[in-house]
Amino acid sequence: MPLEAGFLEILACPACHAPLKEQEAELICTGQDCGLAYPVRDGIPVLLVDEARRPA
């Protein structure tokens, strides 16, 4: 389920504060040095650094 555009505009990575972009069932940090991927469960973003997937 895609997030509303206005909602996505106000979200930021909790680790580096860079904007997030939606990709499938995750929100990906756009920060060059960060790149964490946060899960979206049941339409709710889980913006916890401990729950984030590290970049490959």
Side-chain angles (χ1 to χ4, degrees):
M1 173 189 321
L3 298 172
E4 292 183 30
F7 183 60
L8 190 57
E9 288 177 11
I10 63 170
L11 293 179
C13 175
C16 71
H17 309 291
L20 298 170
K21 67 177 179 178
E22 191 171 17
Q23 186 175 22
E24 296 181 24
E26 295 181 318
L27 294 176
I28 310 295
C29 176
T30 59
Q32 288 184 336
D33 296 334
C34 186
L36 292 174
Y38 298 93
V40 178
R41 296 185 186 129
D42 297 324
I44 301 169
V46 181
L47 298 178
L48 299 172
V49 175
D50 293 340
E51 294 281 328
R53 180 177 56 79
R54 301 278 174 200

